[in-house]
Amino acid sequence: MGAHSGSGFRILLGALFGLALAGCVDSSREPEQPRPAPPPPPAAGSDDEEEEEVEEEEEFTSLNMLTNLVDAVIVPNYVALADATSAFADDDGRLAGYCEAIGTDTEDAARTEVQDAWRDAMTAVQTTEMHVFGPVADNGEALRKRILSYADAPLSTCGVDISVVLAGDEGFDIQSRSLNQRGYGAIEYLLFNDDLTHTCAPQVPATADWNELEEIERRLKRCDLARVIATDAADAAATVADRWEPDGGDYRATFLDPETTGEALQHLTDGIFAMDLLVKDRKLGIPTGIHDDCSNTACPELVESPYARNSFANIGTNAASFKTLFEGGEGLGFDDFIVNEEFAEVADRFAANTQDIIDYLEDIDASLYDQVIAIEDDDRGTECLNAFAGPDLRAELSACTLVGLVKRVTDDLKIDFVTIVGVALPGGAQTDND
């Protein structure tokens, strides 16, 4: 395979790119290359006492690929999310245990345990951030935002502080609160932030007396709200998983309808483009000041997970999830699609560049939040831009280097991937050098 390579390949794809964007996605699209014939069945009447089983290689079709991704990756991810968030919210879980330990000799140990449990649950949350479509995206992504709202808007810490106070009132309903005051971002604030002072303006009546309360009482109230939010997030995750299942909403059957394969490819493409819009831009480019949406040298207030310093762990999970979706786990994935279209070198480049991101993250010591603060306080914006532009040099500002490494993957998504697969760029994705 590999009939096209180097600059000639890129020129060919550049010419095709405009056509790919201009045309509609064919709902019945399959690769146009001839399908390999399945291997013949084993010959009957073998003299060997033990016959070796011949494993037939699955024929590549878009539908077969989508079926594997749903059954081996996407649905298991949502089931794992439902299980993890349910365990975290359970009355016998570590969160409940921490609340009970507040004010006792075991409080510090219990807090460490619940923070570790939060990180474990966050891994399940971040895994699903790479395939946001279908039930989790319905109604303005309401279910997604109940679990984690970072992709939509920064956390309203004042709103969370007000909820802490109101949660003690009879009739308090967490679903009456804004989505940017809920989910695992809010739980992080409640469990990891050592500063018990509220973040609201002095004229906000709900929090007027908060700072005068005893520290133990404030920790207890924060923990009580964390339990309420955790239950709400677990309910949302369970709803998402149920809507995919055949005995629930059976979105699986809708997604895998052979008559709408092209639409399914587009939905899945929209999901994995989170690598560009969410990871490269929102999680990295904007906080570091590389993306134009940050008008200052850097924007530390937009860092994900600033209290737990879990940003790079989240991005590592995102990258690993993207890689699994792209490669199909043990079955058919987009790499097989691209190889079947005779662009094996593109599939190899995706695999190598994504692995570079994962490997690089393992060697980063300073948190994203601390690096962004350094960029802002020490006026290191130019240094950051240089690290972004030359990621092979592995600069001191590793967060900025990381943006450049992620960009290599997303550049291939924006041109090579959409052209070969025959899908359109999702809204908001750009083809320039952002």
Side-chain angles (χ1 to χ4, degrees), residues 287-347:
T288 57
I290 292 172
H291 195 285
D292 289 343
D293 282 359
C294 176
S295 57
N296 300 319
T297 303
C299 290
E301 70 278 6
L302 297 178
V303 170
E304 183 184 35
S305 200
Y307 303 101
R309 300 294 199 271
N310 210 58
S311 304
F312 284 139
N314 294 346
I315 293 169
T317 300
N318 297 153
S321 179
F322 172 89
K323 193 170 188 289
T324 300
L325 280 164
F326 190 84
E327 297 177 353
E330 298 298 320
L332 295 174
F334 280 111
D335 57 342
D336 298 291
F337 192 122
I338 293 170
V339 168
N340 199 66
E341 293 285 286
E342 299 194 348
F343 293 106
E345 71 281 4
V346 176

Side-chain angles (χ1 to χ4, degrees), residues 391-421:
D392 287 329
L393 298 178
R394 301 301 200 257
E396 181 181 352
L397 290 173
S398 54
C400 306
T401 297
L402 183 61
V403 188
L405 293 176
V406 176
K407 185 176 183 295
R408 287 178 173 171
V409 173
T410 61
D411 281 353
D412 278 342
L413 275 176
K414 292 174 183 178
I415 298 178
D416 302 350
F417 178 88
V418 298
T419 305
I420 296 170
V421 179

Side-chain angles (χ1 to χ4, degrees), residues 10-219:
R10 302 299 293 225
I11 291 170
L12 172 62
L13 287 181
L16 293 173
F17 181 63
L19 294 175
L21 293 182
C24 297
V25 178
D26 182 353
S27 64
S28 63
R29 187 184 189 281
E30 298 290 355
E32 296 176 358
Q33 300 297 326
R35 309 292 192 278
S46 172
D47 293 332
D48 294 334
E49 293 183 2
E50 295 183 3
E51 295 186 32
E52 294 184 1
E53 293 185 3
V54 178
E55 183 178 345
E56 293 186 4
E57 182 178 348
E58 184 178 9
E59 177 188 14
F60 181 85
T61 67
S62 294
L63 184 58
N64 284 347
M65 179 193 74
L66 291 169
T67 301
N68 175 66
L69 290 176
V70 166
D71 292 342
V73 182
I74 295 172
V75 169
N77 284 350
Y78 281 126
V79 171
L81 174 65
D83 290 344
T85 53
S86 175
F88 187 78
D90 191 88
D91 288 342
D92 295 323
R94 291 183 181 178
L95 177 56
Y98 168 61
C99 293
E100 293 172 0
I102 291 175
T104 73
D105 293 340
T106 62
E107 178 179 347
D108 289 344
R111 188 180 187 218
T112 298
E113 289 182 357
V114 74
Q115 288 176 345
D116 289 343
W118 177 90
R119 294 180 196 276
D120 291 341
M122 182 58 92
T123 298
V125 172
Q126 294 290 338
T127 297
T128 62
E129 286 284 87
M130 291 295 101
H131 47 73
V132 176
F133 63 88
V136 78
D138 290 343
N139 301 315
E141 300 184 353
L143 290 171
R144 177 198 192 184
K145 293 170 189 174
R146 283 171 59 188
I147 301 166
L148 183 67
S149 64
Y150 173 80
D152 179 65
L155 180 71
S156 171
T157 57
C158 174
V160 177
D161 290 333
I162 293 173
S163 293
V164 170
V165 176
L166 297 180
D169 296 343
E170 185 177 352
F172 174 78
D173 183 1
I174 189 61
Q175 296 194 32
S176 69
R177 308 301 296 170
S178 299
L179 290 168
N180 66 344
Q181 303 170 23
R182 296 155 66 180
Y184 270 71
I187 297 172
E188 176 193 358
Y189 172 73
L190 295 167
L191 297 181
F192 286 84
N193 184 18
D194 293 324
D195 187 354
L196 297 175
T197 305
H198 72 76
T199 58
C200 297
Q203 60 268 29
V204 175
T207 54
D209 300 325
W210 172 260
N211 294 342
E212 280 67 53
L213 297 176
E214 294 292 332
E215 286 193 5
I216 289 179
E217 185 175 359
R218 283 185 278 173
R219 292 200 298 274

